[in-house]
Amino acid sequence: MKKTFTFLLTAILFVSCNQANKTTYNIESVASPKGTEVFQPDWENIATNYNFPEWFVDAKFGIFIHWGAYAVPAFRNEWYARNMYLKDSPEYTHHIATWGPQTEFGYKDFIPMFKAEKFNADEWAELFKEAGARYVVPVAEHHDGFSMYDSELNPWNAVKMGPNKDIIGLLKEAIEKRNMVFGLSTHRAENAWFFNGGMEFPSDVQDMSISLYGRRYKNEAYTEDMAKEWLTHTYELVSKYEPKLIWFDWTVNNPVLMPYFNKFLAYYYNNALDWGENVVVNTKQGYPTNIQVWDVERGKSGKMMLFPWQTDTSVGKKSWSYIDGEENKTPEQIVHDLIDIVSKNGNLLLNIGPRADGTITEDQKNVLLSIGKWLKVNGESIYGTRCWKKFGEGEAEPTQGSFTDNDATAYTARDIRFTTKGNDLYAITLNWDDAGTCIKSLNKETIADAKINSITLLGSDEKINWEQTADGLKISFPAKRPCEYAYVFKISFDKEVGEYLESEATNEIMKHG
């Protein structure tokens, strides 16, 4: 049934004019409000002064949240806001059939329907804690230009309309209360051109007084003026919410934006010095991997990396946001990916998409809780671990690169990933075999200088039989499985694993870096 809703723009005009007490941000300076300016906007300076925080390297697993007005139409994906104006898209025809012509019902008209009436930040944070996440990254603003936070610069925000709540502020409080690290993402750079396909629609995108729709530039085209506006909004997020992680989408590597992004890095890192915190920035490409974290969207690195990196992917295969008819990955697939990523010096940032009313689907809840159940048994092989001299061995060839992780890899018990902590090497077998397995990388020659004191299976009290041979370390599986997928043998040596393999580990990582 066709629905017609009209949004009164007079309210927006009132809000836009009522900005007398805005905080001002000096984007000409990279100094913190306290005057700290250790970091300067050049890569050599940043590399000299920046260290990746231990909390990030230890955390390994975080939760991403895509939630906004695009959850109201809940059709195809989170790019509905753009695609509903493109005549060759399914969203275009769906929108007319469901909501009416774009001239009568534009994207802005979804905002009053985005009420978030069942949103409970504490319930979300408790779920993420049970899932085993160590940090949480909600989207503060997506490409659609609607801020999920209390912005003085953007009148189109969740405090002044829609939910009438500071979603980001509420999540920060709930997340930090549970001793998880709070981060956020901002996609404001993409808003500049995101709605350009709708410029033929009068009384909607064509109306330049509606700032929600950005600048309507050509795709990924930027100006100095826009870059300054972007930097001001980003300074606002840093100052208001003091996130320990900020995630950016791909266009911040644009040549026009890059000098301003370098300013942001210096400003953010200088602020963190004043906070007494260690912080992380995530980008996809264009920036050195020793000054921020390289992020791979819906995919993985195929090799071990010298510096910490991250996969961002989603539980849902089709969309980052909630949509009707989503197909979710299995917990087993996600756990396998987590293990593979951690063995290569990476972190996994796993996304969920709540409904417009603020509830999370039972299916996505169950996926998160199943991951948490696995981590309760095997978490010591993930949290706080470091790489071995090689990430693993085996027969299967997992996917690598961006946009490759929808299909699960079929692993056997011969597919093994390694992590280390102190005197312990964790050999994580990605499947079960009653006949046992042989870890070829642990033959007598490889570990001739070290003695194995004991081998146990995490979550099991049964004795593990093992034998070190010229072919490798042969290990038996116990009679009972301690968990549903991926099994961790803890191999304890008489000395620190890194002590006798450190040189080889560094060379291996350097080669792949």
Side-chain angles (χ1 to χ4, degrees):
M1 177 172 139
K2 204 177 276 190
K3 301 178 183 177
T4 57
F5 293 86
T6 304
F7 190 72
L8 297 177
L9 293 179
T10 53
I12 302 304
L13 293 173
F14 172 79
V15 170
S16 300
C17 295
N18 189 23
Q19 298 285 313
N21 297 315
K22 283 183 183 177
T23 303
T24 58
Y25 301 95
N26 179 16
I27 62 169
E28 299 305 316
S29 172
V30 298
S32 72
K34 293 183 178 180
T36 302
E37 48 185 340
V38 171
F39 290 93
Q40 295 299 315
D42 72 83
W43 295 345
E44 184 177 353
N45 167 276
I46 295 172
T48 299
N49 292 290
Y50 180 72
N51 293 304
F52 292 99
E54 288 295 308
W55 73 256
F56 182 80
V57 181
D58 288 344
K60 308 303 184 187
F61 180 46
I63 297 292
F64 211 0
I65 312 166
H66 277 67
W67 191 42
Y70 39 81
V72 176
F75 183 75
R76 285 182 63 84
N77 58 48
E78 72 288 349
W79 278 46
Y80 187 95
R82 174 176 173 81
N83 295 336
M84 63 176 275
Y85 295 106
L86 304 180
K87 290 184 177 179
D88 59 349
S89 74
E91 288 89 339
Y92 181 85
T93 53
H94 171 83
H95 187 84
I96 294 172
T98 309
W99 307 100
Q102 286 81 347
T103 52
E104 298 176 13
F105 190 105
Y107 184 71
K108 67 184 183 303
D109 299 302
F110 284 118
I111 293 172
M113 303 172 66
F114 177 45
K115 297 178 181 178
E117 64 272 20
K118 297 180 181 178
F119 167 65
N120 185 310
D122 284 303
E123 286 183 5
W124 282 20
E126 194 61 35
L127 172 64
F128 305 150
K129 185 78 172 179
E130 284 298 304
R134 295 294 175 88
Y135 58 106
V136 182
V137 183
V139 172
E141 183 177 322
H142 204 250
H143 312 333
D144 66 345
F146 185 71
S147 295
M148 298 290 286
Y149 62 97
D150 188 13
S151 176
E152 296 176 348
L153 303 173
N154 182 11
W156 296 84
N157 68 69
V159 174
K160 295 182 174 68
M161 59 190 73
N164 296 125
K165 300 180 183 76
D166 182 0
I167 301 297
I168 295 301
L170 290 169
L171 283 171
K172 173 183 169 69
E173 181 182 1
I175 289 160
E176 293 183 339
K177 185 165 64 176
R178 288 162 176 81
N179 297 316
M180 293 180 288
V181 173
F182 167 77
L184 56 80
S185 83
T186 173
H187 308 237
R188 186 167 184 83
E190 291 74 37
N191 176 248
W193 49 266
F194 199 61
F195 289 95
N196 59 14
M199 281 300 287
E200 65 182 83
F201 296 95
S203 77
D204 194 49
V205 178
Q206 200 179 93
D207 184 349
M208 297 303 288
S209 71
I210 306 175
S211 60
L212 174 73
Y213 295 140
R215 294 174 176 246
R216 292 77 155 177
Y217 287 165
K218 291 181 180 179
N219 291 355
E220 301 185 36
Y222 295 104
T223 63
E224 296 286 331
D225 179 61
M226 178 269 157
K228 291 176 181 178
E229 177 194 275
W230 170 85
L231 187 60
T232 304
H233 283 250
T234 310
Y235 274 26
E236 179 185 47
L237 281 170
V238 170
S239 298
K240 274 183 173 287
Y241 297 99
E242 299 187 4
K244 287 189 184 179
L245 180 152
I246 306 184
W247 188 101
F248 294 91
D249 223 328
W250 78 102
T251 63
V252 292
N253 72 343
N254 181 278
V256 175
L257 286 179
M258 190 169 279
Y260 294 90
F261 192 82
N262 290 338
K263 277 190 170 185
F264 153 73
L265 284 174
Y267 178 77
Y268 183 39
Y269 292 164
N270 283 329
N271 272 266
L273 291 176
D274 290 347
W275 305 337
E277 301 286 359
N278 294 307
V279 298
V280 169
V281 171
N282 301 156
T283 70
K284 291 180 178 176
Q285 60 258 333
Y287 293 91
T289 57
N290 62 344
I291 66 172
Q292 53 79 49
V293 169
W294 171 54
D295 184 272
V296 184
E297 181 174 354
R298 288 190 179 271
K300 298 179 291 186
S301 171
K303 50 196 176 185
M304 200 184 299
M305 303 302 293
L306 174 59
F307 297 109
W309 61 280
Q310 181 176 261
T311 286
D312 74 290
T313 194
S314 190
V315 173
K317 294 184 179 183
K318 299 177 182 178
S319 174
W320 290 90
S321 67
Y322 172 78
I323 59 168
D324 296 326
E326 179 62 278
E327 180 185 353
N328 293 318
K329 297 172 184 172
T330 65
E332 180 178 28
Q333 178 183 351
I334 296 169
V335 167
H336 283 165
D337 284 343
L338 171 65
I339 294 163
D340 187 57
I341 289 162
V342 170
S343 73
K344 297 169 182 173
N345 203 26
N347 284 24
L348 172 61
L349 182 61
L350 180 67
N351 178 75
I352 53 112
R355 297 184 185 94
D357 66 4
T359 57
I360 299 169
T361 69
E362 288 303 311
D363 195 20
Q364 292 209 346
K365 281 183 183 178
N366 289 336
V367 170
L368 294 185
L369 292 173
S370 295
I371 295 168
K373 183 179 178 181
W374 186 88
L375 284 166
K376 282 182 173 68
V377 175
N378 301 289
E380 74 167 89
S381 69
I382 300 295
Y383 304 124
T385 60
R386 297 295 183 266
C387 297
W388 192 43
K389 70 170 184 176
K390 59 192 299 187
F391 68 84
E393 63 180 51
E395 302 163 351
E397 294 188 12
T399 57
Q400 56 183 285
S402 300
F403 303 101
T404 61
D405 72 359
N406 263 4
D407 295 327
T409 301
Y411 291 109
T412 73
R414 269 75 60 199
D415 294 303
I416 300 165
R417 296 295 180 266
F418 302 114
T419 61
T420 67
K421 189 186 295 177
N423 289 22
D424 301 319
L425 174 68
Y426 300 95
I428 309 172
T429 61
L430 300 179
N431 212 324
W432 184 273
D433 191 330
D434 288 332
T437 191
C438 180
I439 305 175
K440 297 179 180 178
S441 302
L442 294 178
N443 58 49
K444 286 183 176 180
E445 182 179 350
T446 303
I447 55 172
D449 295 334
K451 176 187 175 184
I452 297 175
N453 287 336
S454 65
I455 299 179
T456 56
L457 185 70
L458 296 187
S460 174
D461 294 328
E462 295 185 50
K463 180 182 178 182
I464 302 300
N465 296 315
W466 56 275
E467 179 186 5
Q468 196 172 7
T469 72
D471 295 328
L473 181 64
K474 293 183 178 180
I475 303 181
S476 68
F477 284 82
K480 184 179 178 181
R481 302 187 187 202
C483 54
E484 294 185 50
Y485 27 76
Y487 311 95
V488 182
F489 289 101
K490 179 179 180 179
I491 305 169
S492 298
F493 290 89
D494 63 344
K495 59 179 72 174
E496 285 196 17
V497 176
E499 182 180 328
Y500 62 92
L501 293 174
E502 184 176 7
S503 175
E504 293 180 68
T506 303
N507 289 338
E508 183 79 7
I509 298 169
M510 288 283 283
K511 184 172 69 174
H512 292 314

